[in-house]
Amino acid sequence: MSVLVTGGAGYIGSHTVVELLNLGKNVVIVDNFYNSDKEVLKRIEQITGKRPKFYQEDVTDKAALINIFEQETIEAVIHFAGYKAVGESVQKPVEYYHNNLMSTIVLVEVMKMFGVKKLVFSSSATVYGMHHEVPFVENMSTSATNPYGYTKVMCEQILKDVSVSDNEWSIVLLRYFNPIGAHESGLIGEDPSGIPNNLMPYISQVAVGKLEHVNVFGNDYDTPDGTGVRDYIHIVDLAKGHVKALEKANTTKGTLIYNLGSGQGTSVLELIHTFMKVTKQDVPYIIGERRSGDIATCYADATRAWNDMQWKTEKTLEDMCRDTWRWQSQNPKGYAK
Ligand code: WQD
């Protein structure tokens, strides 16, 4: 019996695959390499000594997905595959709705055909929108401020409705806060295509000399140092949260929702200064204008994940910076040769 990991060659997917393989689980990856690189499969084997079965397919392709379920004995699915860039989603809304919604709908249709009813879904703290006070709690209402966020709100709703329609389903919605860092080997890590949208890959590309300086998007927020505050979580802690979620899906029916965050807020300047302290690398920055759509402060109430799954973050901000730097300095051009 295998766990199917869609988007398993991506940043979060590959770290989760490593944890599953290290626990002796059989893993099948389906990925179309839209936002990942086939080099990741080699790196996963280098880390674990195992090479998971791999299908280069698009999850919206129903026939391709049916073939995978016919060839393999799938017991559960972790669904990462999806577009995730907020800014890009504003420019290309139809692509985002089609890809993110159809991949989830097609996946559920095929799972149902084969009687596979355990699903862990990659959601996001972005579904808390802009109208709640921190810390964000799972029972808060959801909303969005961009098409990417709406795809997560809509996919959560689709999956909740699937679970209501058939009580045999076990569905775990995981709301990620800000995943950063890399596996301690430095062999896998975050490798955004083009100029990074997110803060930590931008910092590490400045440190490695690929970019000149960090643009701090505003220092006039109502936060301790005026810069944006976020809940950063080490990618390996996040990956371990998926293993716990799979175990939960094995024992519980219905839809379960969990924040995967540390519960701590860190500002942009705190992260930059911590990175410089830990890595001894210079990271020049300039204070610029706010980025539209950003909220001042976002961090999790992570108690439900601990109470229900005995999961909590274990790695520190220093670990996140140290491991990011090991990956970036060992792979200055990411996975590209
Ligand atoms: C973090 C902080 C910025 C870049 C996004 C998505 C979210 C999730 C995680 C998918 C903010 C500031 C950033 C830069 C900066 N992705 N910043 N200069 O926006 O919290 O969350 O990624 O699920 O859905 O919205 O992450 O890393 O972009 O920004 O000052 O060059 O860093 O203003 O305060 P964000 P981020």
Side-chain angles (χ1 to χ4, degrees):
M1 299 289 268
S2 301
V3 178
L4 176 65
V5 180
T6 76
Y11 175 44
I12 305 174
S14 57
H15 283 83
T16 302
V17 166
V18 163
E19 294 305 318
L20 291 169
L21 291 173
N22 284 342
L23 287 169
K25 298 276 183 191
N26 294 318
V27 173
V28 175
I29 294 175
V30 54
D31 201 306
N32 64 1
F33 293 137
Y34 173 84
N35 196 17
S36 53
D37 191 296
K38 62 178 181 300
E39 173 68 18
V40 174
L41 303 176
K42 269 194 238 162
R43 304 292 180 91
I44 288 173
E45 187 172 11
Q46 271 181 271
I47 295 169
T48 65
K50 300 169 188 170
R51 181 108 179 199
K53 289 294 283 294
F54 175 72
Y55 293 83
Q56 183 172 350
E57 299 293 357
D58 189 315
V59 182
T60 60
D61 180 342
K62 192 166 186 175
L65 217 51
I66 288 171
N67 176 55
I68 293 172
F69 277 76
E70 284 170 342
Q71 300 300 320
E72 309 295 337
T73 312
I74 306 295
E75 60 176 320
V77 180
I78 305 181
H79 180 34
F80 291 107
Y83 298 158
K84 56 151 258 181
V86 170
E88 185 185 53
S89 78
V90 176
Q91 309 305 323
K92 302 177 178 175
V94 173
E95 286 86 338
Y96 267 69
Y97 285 118
H98 183 268
N99 185 66
N100 289 6
L101 298 186
M102 283 315 295
S103 62
T104 303
I105 290 167
V106 167
L107 176 64
V108 167
E109 287 174 337
V110 175
M111 288 176 72
K112 201 170 166 186
M113 282 170 66
F114 288 85
V116 179
K117 298 185 176 180
K118 292 174 189 165
L119 174 62
V120 176
F121 177 72
S122 164
S123 189
S124 167
T126 206
V127 304
Y128 288 112
M130 304 180 86
H131 308 300
H132 293 300
E133 296 294 313
V134 284
F136 294 156
V137 185
E138 290 90 346
N139 62 4
M140 288 177 169
S141 60
T142 57
S143 65
T145 58
N146 56 73
Y148 162 75
Y150 274 115
T151 69
K152 291 301 183 183
V153 169
M154 293 173 184
C155 282
E156 286 199 356
Q157 189 57 54
I158 290 166
L159 294 173
K160 285 175 197 166
D161 292 341
V162 166
S163 167
V164 167
S165 74
D166 175 353
N167 61 18
E168 280 308 302
W169 280 84
S170 297
I171 295 175
V172 185
L173 308 178
L174 297 179
R175 291 174 179 169
Y176 311 151
F177 282 71
N178 288 63
I180 60 173
H183 186 265
E184 60 187 10
S185 64
L187 287 169
I188 54 175
E190 190 168 10
D191 183 20
S193 48
I195 305 288
N197 298 307
N198 298 135
L199 180 60
M200 183 55 122
Y202 207 107
I203 289 173
S204 63
Q205 287 193 20
V206 168
V208 83
K210 204 171 167 190
L211 296 169
E212 256 185 48
H213 60 263
V214 175
N215 300 295
V216 175
F217 295 151
N219 68 344
D220 57 350
Y221 285 103
D222 181 13
T223 62
D225 64 17
T227 63
V229 169
R230 294 293 184 274
D231 184 336
Y232 296 99
I233 164 174
H234 195 292
I235 190 72
V236 172
D237 279 335
L238 188 72
K240 290 180 175 173
H242 288 76
V243 174
K244 288 284 191 181
L246 218 43
E247 289 164 6
K248 193 70 185 171
N250 281 330
T251 59
T252 313
K253 306 279 187 213
T255 299
L256 301 163
I257 304 175
Y258 297 107
N259 288 334
L260 293 189
S262 70
Q264 303 295 319
T266 299
S267 78
V268 175
L269 290 180
E270 282 172 329
L271 186 61
I272 292 173
H273 292 140
T274 303
F275 186 92
M276 288 199 278
K277 183 187 73 175
V278 164
T279 64
K280 310 278 187 281
Q281 300 302 311
D282 188 28
V283 179
Y285 60 86
I286 56 171
I287 305 290
E289 293 303 307
R290 291 183 177 192
R291 177 173 65 179
S292 72
D294 274 355
I295 59 176
T297 302
C298 168
Y299 58 84
D301 174 320
T303 47
R304 184 190 282 187
W306 173 252
N307 292 342
D308 280 19
M309 302 193 292
Q310 292 70 57
W311 175 89
K312 63 181 170 57
T313 55
E314 294 166 1
K315 292 184 180 279
T316 64
L317 199 68
E318 288 75 9
D319 295 329
M320 297 176 213
C321 294
R322 189 176 303 112
D323 295 341
T324 296
W325 180 238
R326 189 180 304 108
W327 149 256
Q328 188 73 79
S329 56
Q330 286 177 186
N331 304 274
K333 295 196 175 103
Y335 292 112
K337 287 289 178 229

